[in-house]
Amino acid sequence: MLSGLELIIALVAVFIGSTVMGTVSFGLALVVAPVLILFLDPQSVVIIANFLIVILLVFVFIKVRSHLKLKEIRGLIIGGLCAVPIGVLALNITDPAVLRISIGLLILALGGLLLSNAEIGIARSKHSGIIFGFLASLCITSLSIGGPLAAAYVIAQKQSSNTMRASLSFFFLVTYVFAFFFYFITGLVTTESLVNTGLLTPALIAGFLVANLIVNKVNETAFRYVAIGLIISGGLVLLVREIIVL
């Protein structure tokens, strides 16, 4: 269980991650995972990060639910649900060291994608929603990270900012709820994970409240680069630590 300095560092990470996610509807795990994984095993990190994300997504979706256009993300959701059992199985059987390295590499790859502001051409096709939904769900259920993959599809559909937030929050909520059914029946959810989630929830709520205050005031470009810098730094720290251990 997190305590002392470890808990303080984790609370700061969750606060920052929650502020990022409360603003753009994804990114919490990208900030939190590389910090928590310094203190906890990878499976616990995925469960805790996903628990925190579900709590935050409820708040986000309630705020923007009127902007949801379900028909536009139908393929995304179908693909996401299909990938859930595979992602949970991968989390359950994969070696912890492999998970840590995979998380680090994915953080750097997605951080680079965000930094370049690249638009993936295939994402413009509405029929590609199933592919992006499948890949995003596979990543978030097994590694807790994958939000930018879903975001890449939604952004390419040229949705308004509020519609994009509604689309992403609904997609993630549906995917995570389905995933937790499998997390529970496979024994991945432990009492310690639940306790740690409870300890970190106050920082989650505080970050969300700050996000609500700044979402319409902050310079979007500056905020984006600060958030991406934190994401890439976290991925580098995680990989360097794992290389040293090896």
Side-chain angles (χ1 to χ4, degrees):
M1 187 173 69
L2 292 168
S3 62
L5 183 59
E6 291 179 357
L7 178 58
I8 294 173
I9 294 173
L11 285 168
V12 172
V14 170
F15 174 79
I16 296 172
S18 177
T19 302
V20 171
M21 187 167 181
T23 305
V24 298
S25 293
F26 68 93
L28 186 146
L30 283 166
V31 176
V32 171
V35 175
L36 291 185
I37 212 165
L38 297 174
F39 314 125
L40 302 170
D41 66 90
Q43 284 85 357
S44 295
V45 170
V46 171
I47 299 301
I48 293 168
N50 286 350
F51 256 128
L52 293 172
I53 289 170
V54 168
I55 295 170
L56 188 58
L57 282 173
V58 171
F59 293 130
V60 173
F61 183 68
I62 288 174
K63 185 177 180 181
V64 297
R65 66 187 184 281
S66 61
H67 297 276
L68 178 66
K69 296 179 180 179
L70 189 57
K71 186 177 180 180
E72 294 188 8
I73 57 169
R74 185 169 52 195
L76 200 68
I77 293 172
I78 292 172
L81 292 178
C82 289
V84 167
I86 302 172
V88 175
L89 177 63
L91 176 64
N92 204 28
I93 66 175
T94 305
D95 180 82
V98 174
L99 280 176
R100 283 191 289 266
I101 293 172
S102 299
I103 290 172
L105 290 173
L106 188 58
I107 287 171
L108 292 180
L110 295 180
L113 178 65
L114 291 170
L115 185 62
S116 66
N117 203 24
E119 182 178 297
I120 304 172
I122 191 176
R124 288 193 291 269
S125 169
K126 291 189 181 298
H127 299 297
S128 67
I130 292 179
I131 298 171
F132 279 86
F134 184 91
L135 293 175
S137 177
L138 186 64
C139 290
I140 62 178
T141 52
S142 60
L143 301 173
S144 82
I145 294 165
L149 290 171
Y153 172 78
V154 173
I155 290 170
Q157 304 308 306
K158 306 299 182 183
Q159 296 182 353
S160 68
S161 58
N162 280 329
T163 299
M164 185 180 81
R165 295 177 75 203
S167 296
L168 288 173
S169 57
F170 185 76
F171 166 72
F172 291 135
L173 268 176
V174 171
T175 301
Y176 282 123
V177 168
F178 191 40
F180 270 103
F181 168 76
F182 288 98
Y183 287 153
F184 274 105
I185 65 175
T186 55
L188 285 168
V189 178
T190 64
T191 301
E192 184 176 336
S193 296
L194 294 174
V195 171
N196 282 328
T197 300
L199 291 172
L200 297 173
T201 297
L204 182 83
I205 295 173
F208 177 73
L209 294 176
V210 170
N212 279 336
L213 293 175
I214 69 173
V215 67
N216 294 320
K217 301 176 183 178
V218 70
N219 182 297
E220 290 188 10
T221 301
F223 180 82
R224 176 173 170 269
Y225 281 116
V226 170
I228 293 171
L230 290 170
I231 289 166
I232 293 176
S233 297
L236 286 172
V237 169
L238 176 57
L239 282 177
V240 169
R241 176 181 178 274
E242 198 58 33
I243 290 171
I244 292 173
V245 171
L246 292 175

